[in-house]
Amino acid sequence: MQVDVLLGLQWGDEGKGKIVDVFTPNYDVIARFQGGPNAGHTLEFQGSKHVLHHIPSGVFRKDTINLIGNGVILDPMSFKEEIKGLEEKGIETKQNLYISNKAHLILPTHRLLDLALERQKGKQKIGSTLKGIGPTYTDKVARTGIRIGDIISEDFHSQYNTLKEIHLSLLKSYGLIIEDETIDQLSFNEYEAKWMEAINLISEMKLVDSENFINQKINDGKKVLAEGAQGTLLDIDFGSYPFVTSSNTITAGVCAGLGIAPSKINRVYGVFKAYCTRVGSGPFPTELNDDFGQKLRDQGNEYGATTGRPRRCGWLDLPALKYAIMLNGVTDLVMTKADVFTGFQKLSVCRQYMINNKNVDFSTFNLKQENLECYLHEFEGWNENINQVNDYKQLPANMKKYLDFIENDTGTQISVISTSADRTGIIFKNDQMFN
Ligand code: IMP
């Protein structure tokens, strides 16, 4: 049996959590392969809203196995809160949740280092979620990090103190005074004490050699779905560097972040919003700083699930989408939030990038060039509410024109269309997808 992948094709927040939740009944294992608490996957069903940060979106289905892979970095405090929040809602979390012993730990001082680095960058700041992502992956690559499996070793506290001391001297050199800072409204000492308590919870979880675990599942004929976080344009190598996250968010990241061979990858579901959004800084060529942008933000409730920050909004960027399809080997496109366009008289997509009226290829390297222009293609909008529509044939004619245009331009089928935030708002255009 092979592995399917579901990931974001834009700057994150494409609505991946909901789609994984809808797809989950077709899979035995859902596995996260990169990122950490910077992710916020929102799922809505039975009138209730849930936001996940580390835990795979399969947690709401009783028999699904959920794996946090080696490519993920984990914050014990945020993880404990996540578990608590789910258990308060009566959701069983521990039975089917496995964590790689090779996943790296986010220390309290990683959070402060993130803050110090952002402050040092001033106007050039990345707009990080300040969850300690960059500094933790830095320690992983520098070979100084601490892994989940280390928690149960006898010298865990000595490892912790050694790394903490390195961080403290770095923080001092950045001019950050620990006593003046808080983390999640707690003083450093209070936060550290709670962090240590949360470590105890993790030591009681199922810690596994995740690469052996998942390959055994594959050999046993189980169906695996790898769930991406963030999006392709935030990839450390191919995103709009340096305004990116610190992991490989693309299909290739699945192999390294779970220990799965490339030949095992089967379908790749690329999730994209009907328009574009971005949180944090960095280039965004189709951004709308006008009424259209505000309308998208209001109708699409475009506020961050992790940080609550208002998201920047703009038209769909087809050159960027094609770039993401190329990098990921997307077999099926999944479009989300098309319902947000209801009531728009006109809408547009960026079809081509130009400099001095000459067509140029899309590249994340030159995205911030000031003379870069987007050639827009305009569409007539629609007024019909599509939230309850589950049949492609019943979609407004103008929306079908929009979908056809995207399929033709990208040369990739749109197999699934999400028509509302709820689990039930979904259209399967390709009904052979899971066969
Ligand atoms: P970091 O990953 O927290 O360091 O943030 C780096 C950049 O990625 C910032 O612009 C963040 O806003 C953005 N980012 C990180 N995680 C997400 C996400 O899950 N959705 C959308 N943007 C994200």
Side-chain angles (χ1 to χ4, degrees), residues 21 63 68 73 113 118 140 155 173 177 190 201 207 209 225 254-255 265 291 320 345 413-414 422 431 434:
D21 177 52
D63 298 321
I68 297 179
I73 55 176
L113 278 168
E118 280 286 77
K140 174 177 177 175
D155 67 348
S173 72
I177 300 160
E190 285 167 338
L201 170 84
L207 311 183
D209 273 321
L225 181 67
V254 173
C255 299
I265 306 277
D291 290 349
Q345 296 229 307
Q413 59 186 342
I414 300 177
D422 194 85
D431 49 17
F434 298 114

Side-chain angles (χ1 to χ4, degrees), residues 11-14 16 36-41 114 118 126-135 229-231 234 242-246 278-282 306-307 309 311:
W11 279 288
D13 308 317
E14 297 92 351
K16 297 176 289 292
N38 49 349
H41 291 175
D114 218 356
E118 280 286 77
I126 288 162
S128 160
T129 58
L130 300 179
K131 302 286 177 192
I133 305 299
Q230 290 83 50
L234 289 172
F243 302 101
V244 293
T245 192
S246 300
R278 173 161 207 172
V279 262
S281 333
T306 300
T307 59
R309 290 179 290 179
R311 295 180 185 138

Side-chain angles (χ1 to χ4, degrees), residues 107-114 116 135 139 159-181 183 188-189 192:
L107 271 55
T109 39
H110 281 131
R111 301 270 315 259
L112 290 178
L113 278 168
D114 218 356
D139 270 330
Q159 280 187 53
Y160 173 84
N161 286 326
T162 306
L163 189 54
K164 179 181 155 186
E165 285 308 316
I166 296 171
H167 290 167
L168 291 181
S169 58
L170 273 172
L171 286 166
K172 207 167 164 192
S173 72
Y174 290 130
L176 187 137
I177 300 160
I178 287 206
E179 290 73 23
D180 291 351
E181 303 296 341
I183 311 178
F188 180 78
N189 288 342
E192 189 183 45

